[in-house]
Amino acid sequence: MKWYDGRGKSLLRTLAKTLVPESVLTRPKVPYPITYAPQYKAALAGRLRGLLDDSDAPVRPLIDLTAARRIAADPDLLDRGGWFGRADVEFALNLDAWLRRLRVQPRL
């Protein structure tokens, strides 16, 4: 029902057809803005460096260590999208915490 006409939020768009202008119904989704606090970037890069320094970190076999090292060395790279942008670093750190909590050690 969410995608019955090939577009996201199809049901909502259909229900709101008589309530909002066409331009609102047909506009593309806009991502939420990201706060670029320098302190957050520094803290995130610091945590990433800590993960890279820990040879026993369970997430290490699952991430691109070369890309992670580039980010750790240049936190401004966190502002770009794609592999190992800010969201990817957050995901890697959260995955590492989850793997530790459940005592999972991936074998590749």
Side-chain angles (χ1 to χ4, degrees):
M1 287 196 300
K2 287 180 163 183
W3 287 81
Y4 71 84
D5 65 355
R7 293 185 328 173
K9 301 183 182 180
S10 299
L11 183 59
L12 179 61
R13 291 175 199 271
T14 299
L15 292 172
K17 198 171 200 162
T18 60
L19 303 173
V20 296
E22 183 70 18
S23 62
V24 173
L25 289 173
T26 57
R27 72 181 174 199
K29 183 177 177 178
V30 177
Y32 293 102
I34 295 175
T35 303
Y36 293 102
Q39 301 87 346
Y40 181 71
K41 284 195 318 189
L44 202 57
R47 287 192 55 204
L48 182 59
R49 281 190 295 279
L51 186 141
L52 290 169
D53 290 342
D54 182 358
S55 60
D56 293 325
V59 80
R60 284 177 62 98
L62 304 175
I63 64 173
D64 180 341
L65 294 173
T66 302
R69 286 184 187 100
R70 274 196 307 267
I71 293 288
D74 183 3
D76 285 338
L77 294 174
L78 289 167
D79 295 336
R80 69 175 176 79
W83 181 241
F84 257 84
R86 178 175 152 171
D88 295 311
V89 172
E90 292 166 337
F91 179 79
L93 293 169
N94 285 327
L95 179 58
D96 187 70
W98 181 83
L99 292 169
R100 288 174 192 269
R101 186 172 31 254
L102 296 178
R103 295 183 174 90
V104 174
Q105 189 65 42
R107 287 185 226 150
L108 299 177

